[in-house]
Amino acid sequence: MRTEILMARLQPGAPLRVDLLSKTYDVGRTPLREALSRLEAERLVVAISNRGFTVAPVSRTGLEDLTKARAVVEIPLLLEAMERGGAEWESAIVTAHYRLSRCKTIVEDSSDLAVDAWMERHEAFHAALLSAAQSSWLMHFRSTISDQLQRHYRFLAFAPALRAAAGETAGYEEAMAALHKAQSIGPHTELMEAVLDRNAERARLLMDEHFGYPLEVYAVEEGEAPASRKPSARGRTHKKSA
């Protein structure tokens, strides 16, 4: 199991006890401590003096910061991919989109297995969109940002159910509706079509809109109305870029 996946499965702020992890995953204590130290450098783990390690926290502020960083990195990668991509790149996008379309949203299936499948295929779809780009440093930054975002996305996926189980049922339906909107295939289809049409302006607008969906989920989860967004890219002219 990849360490990033392990971090995503553990609750933010959860203690990481070396003895327990060693027994659970049949890994020696020394390599475990080395791995945790590396994860601390990647800000996936927090080291607390004389108390060991904990899973890094998640927050709306942190997600907002990561979303800004994602836009700075992924938009240029997307535009480069659209310029350079050929038939093989297009086929990879269509295949990844089809696989994502076969996943159920959390409203339809909230099991760990279903959420894992959706997150894996969602990441694969976005990776396919960018796969024709050749900027290795931007790809490196994108991978780091993605690892952090996966923790936030998984937290948001289960937050409404966890709150409801604790008796905090206010806003549950609204939060689940926001999650369903974020995970539904429609916006991903629109984004794919704009990219394959090489419509740079529309693809940029749709990608920017796409980045905001998790923040809308956070706003609803915290009992706020989502902040007003820029006019939607939907319904705009589908003219290809020159």
Side-chain angles (χ1 to χ4, degrees), residues 7 44 55-58 147-155:
M7 294 301 103
L44 292 168
V55 179
V58 299
D147 287 341
Q148 291 286 349
L149 284 170
Q150 297 312 306
R151 299 189 314 107
H152 285 75
Y153 294 166
R154 188 173 181 83
F155 169 77

Side-chain angles (χ1 to χ4, degrees), residues 95-108:
T95 299
H97 174 270
Y98 173 76
R99 295 186 71 239
L100 179 61
S101 74
R102 306 302 294 171
C103 288
K104 294 180 178 179
T105 69
I106 194 167
V107 174
E108 299 163 323

Side-chain angles (χ1 to χ4, degrees), residues 76-90 129-135 139 195 198:
L77 284 172
L78 181 65
L79 296 178
E80 181 185 354
M82 290 169 65
E83 291 179 359
R84 303 182 63 92
E88 185 175 344
W89 169 72
E90 293 180 352
L129 291 175
L130 309 177
S131 60
Q134 294 186 343
S135 177
M139 284 294 194
V195 169
R198 303 301 204 276

Side-chain angles (χ1 to χ4, degrees), residues 6-17 43-48 51-59 151-152 155:
L6 170 62
M7 294 301 103
R9 287 183 177 279
L10 295 171
Q11 286 294 311
L16 294 167
R17 298 185 176 87
R43 303 175 72 175
L44 292 168
V45 159
V46 176
I48 303 176
R51 292 177 57 188
F53 298 92
T54 64
V55 179
V58 299
S59 68
R151 299 189 314 107
H152 285 75
F155 169 77

Side-chain angles (χ1 to χ4, degrees), residues 11-123:
Q11 286 294 311
L16 294 167
R17 298 185 176 87
V18 173
D19 288 348
L20 180 59
L21 290 173
S22 178
K23 292 177 182 178
T24 301
Y25 296 103
D26 193 24
V27 179
R29 297 178 185 178
T30 298
L32 258 178
R33 289 192 180 95
E34 292 175 353
L36 290 171
S37 295
R38 289 198 298 271
L39 289 173
E40 181 192 10
E42 297 176 18
R43 303 175 72 175
L44 292 168
V45 159
V46 176
I48 303 176
S49 179
N50 299 320
R51 292 177 57 188
F53 298 92
T54 64
V55 179
V58 299
S59 68
R60 184 172 171 181
T61 300
L63 181 57
E64 288 172 347
D65 195 19
L66 285 166
T67 300
K68 291 177 184 176
R70 184 184 182 189
V72 168
V73 170
E74 286 200 24
I75 294 296
L77 284 172
L78 181 65
L79 296 178
E80 181 185 354
M82 290 169 65
E83 291 179 359
R84 303 182 63 92
E88 185 175 344
W89 169 72
E90 293 180 352
S91 295
I93 293 172
V94 172
T95 299
H97 174 270
Y98 173 76
R99 295 186 71 239
L100 179 61
S101 74
R102 306 302 294 171
C103 288
K104 294 180 178 179
T105 69
I106 194 167
V107 174
E108 299 163 323
D109 187 344
S110 60
S111 67
D112 273 342
L113 189 62
V115 171
D116 286 346
W118 187 88
M119 290 185 66
E120 177 187 348
R121 295 184 185 186
H122 182 252
E123 168 62 16

Side-chain angles (χ1 to χ4, degrees), residues 181 190 202 205-206 209 213 229-237:
K181 175 184 175 184
E190 291 179 312
R202 180 169 169 77
L205 288 168
L206 287 170
E209 186 174 314
Y213 288 147
R229 298 179 53 76
K230 299 174 184 178
S232 173
R234 290 171 182 76
R236 294 175 181 265
T237 303

